[in-house]
Amino acid sequence: MDYSDALPFLGSMDPTRFQNELTHFHHIIQTKAGPGRQGLGWLDFPVDYDRQESFELEEAAAKIRQESDVLLVIGIGGSFMGARAAIEMLTHSFNHDLPKEARKRGTPQIFFVGHHLDPTYMADLMDILQGKDFSINVISKSGGTLEPAIAFRMFRQLLEDKYGPQQAASRIYVTTDREIGTLKALAMQEGYKTFPIPRTIGGRYSVLTAVGLLPMAVSGIGIGEVLEGAATARSELKDPAIENNPAYQYAAIRNSLYRKGKTTELLVSYDPRLQSFAEWWKQLFGESEGKNLQGIFPVTALYTTDLHAIGQYIQQGRRMIFETTLKVEKPLRDLIITERVDDQDELNYLSGNTLGSVNDKAFQGTLRAHTEGGIPNLVIGIPKITPFSFGYLVYFFQLACVMSSYILGVNPFDQPGVEAYKNNMFRLLGKPE
Ligand code: PA5
């Protein structure tokens, strides 16, 4: 966590000024005494999780891998974003287009659905399923969210038409509350295999439960390693002293910048594998902090792509933004730029360089330009993209988010505002009371 390029913008609003609040809220978090405390189950989950359940999850994943060309993951918000983030971060960039045998452990193609209501997407997905064996993992903590419920109704029908109700039932995996909700009741009636989402872990904090772990396991990601990363973060981020706790540094510096009028945070990466992770981060912070007319507005960008789209605004537009870069120190693979005798494209000055090093220079050049242009910058270093670092980062951001929300004075675990659109939509749809 490097915030040296943010400090010059802070004047007297040095993040160490938050030490008393950090110490206070650290105690509140650890003793689960703050607003929404019943949502803190994820704090110890990476060490407390049920080993038997984890074994069953691996078994289910192996069965899905063995009998399916495609896994449909049905969910929205916290019930899909983390799984998508992990899979995009930790599998081949073109996984779907590799032949099955070239995919890690022969994993099926994984498609997400139920995260919006677009009929064309769903109809196109139905085309993709033609002639393919598939299974479904439907994920909904409440068990009643409209988008995934509609998708489940449609794709369950397709599955039953293809295999008959009994065989179809053995291809449906339900991740939901242990006891309550429409989906739980339906799963019990039909005898579907179910995985519980602990009552104490809300949607956007649930990626390290069966919500994210089952799709990850199906993709061949080592879920033990993911949980180990989170467990390591848990033990390393236990110190309330700002100088020893990068998650609290991040929480404090965000609030310092916010009080200096920097109301938008742009999370940037230079690696497309992190794009969905950034979207997960956006949901985590947006839904946790944006309430009571408070909150830093979270947005994401992929560089260098977006430097050719919003780079101009960042450099010279309105000064309410700060930038946080997720900087991967070492790419998973690298390529050398070769020499050409004709040098028609005038790129020989780069011959012998790796593409990774060029990406690195783009990062350094951008950091300098944006800082000089008046954008405070934070850099979060990721040594390498691995299942371990995924687990670590998830825990890091969840902890930072709760701390930052408490400093802002909001409850990080509820989302009362999301009901407004639902109420209008249900009224327009004529949903019975
Ligand atoms: O973070 C949250 O709580 C939300 O984003 C939920 O995950 C999302 O609304 C989906 O809810 P559910 O899992 O109940 O279908």
Side-chain angles (χ1 to χ4, degrees), residues 74-75 114 138 140 143-155 183:
I74 300 180
V138 54
S140 177
T145 307
L146 186 70
E147 293 90 334
I150 291 178
F152 184 46
R153 174 182 276 223
M154 291 188 171
F155 287 97
L183 186 58

Side-chain angles (χ1 to χ4, degrees), residues 38-71:
Q38 60 281 11
L40 275 164
W42 56 269
L43 262 187
D44 299 322
F45 191 84
V47 288
D48 278 1
Y49 67 92
D50 181 339
R51 268 54 182 179
Q52 174 59 27
E53 202 177 284
S54 166
F55 175 72
E56 287 176 27
L57 208 135
E58 292 275 20
E59 262 189 350
K63 180 170 175 294
I64 294 169
R65 274 201 300 272
Q66 203 225 324
E67 61 186 25
S68 302
D69 303 315
V70 172
L71 172 69

Side-chain angles (χ1 to χ4, degrees), residues 351-395:
S351 332
N353 282 288
T354 62
L355 200 48
S357 72
V358 176
N359 207 13
D360 213 46
K361 296 289 182 296
F363 156 69
Q364 289 170 21
T366 307
L367 182 70
R368 210 39 44 238
H370 288 183
T371 308
E372 284 166 15
I375 300 287
N377 257 277
L378 317 178
V379 181
I380 297 177
I382 306 170
K384 201 173 169 192
I385 291 183
T386 61
F388 181 95
S389 61
F390 176 81
Y392 196 108
L393 276 172
V394 164
Y395 198 95

Side-chain angles (χ1 to χ4, degrees), residues 76-79 139-143 145 148 202-204 283 287 415:
I76 195 167
S79 286
I139 309 168
S140 177
K141 183 168 156 109
S142 61
T145 307
R204 57 192 173 275
Q283 192 225 354
E287 249 183 15
Q415 55 282 331

Side-chain angles (χ1 to χ4, degrees), residues 321-332:
I321 301 170
F322 67 96
E323 218 170 22
T324 301
T325 303
L326 294 176
K327 177 69 181 72
V328 180
E329 307 298 346
K330 193 170 160 25
L332 287 176

Side-chain angles (χ1 to χ4, degrees), residues 427 430-433:
R427 202 177 49 249
K431 185 183 179 192
E433 292 296 318

Side-chain angles (χ1 to χ4, degrees), residues 73-81 113-115 136-152 173-187 193-199 201-204 206 209-212 215 422:
V73 176
I74 300 180
I76 195 167
S79 286
F80 104 100
M81 300 190 89
V113 63
H115 53 299
I136 293 176
N137 178 204
V138 54
I139 309 168
S140 177
K141 183 168 156 109
S142 61
T145 307
L146 186 70
E147 293 90 334
I150 291 178
F152 184 46
Y173 301 83
V174 175
T175 311
T176 190
D177 187 89
R178 198 180 288 279
E179 286 156 10
I180 56 169
T182 311
L183 186 58
K184 176 67 189 175
L186 188 159
K193 176 77 187 154
T194 61
F195 291 98
I197 309 174
R199 195 65 62 78
I201 304 183
R204 57 192 173 275
S206 70
T209 71
V211 168
K422 289 188 194 168

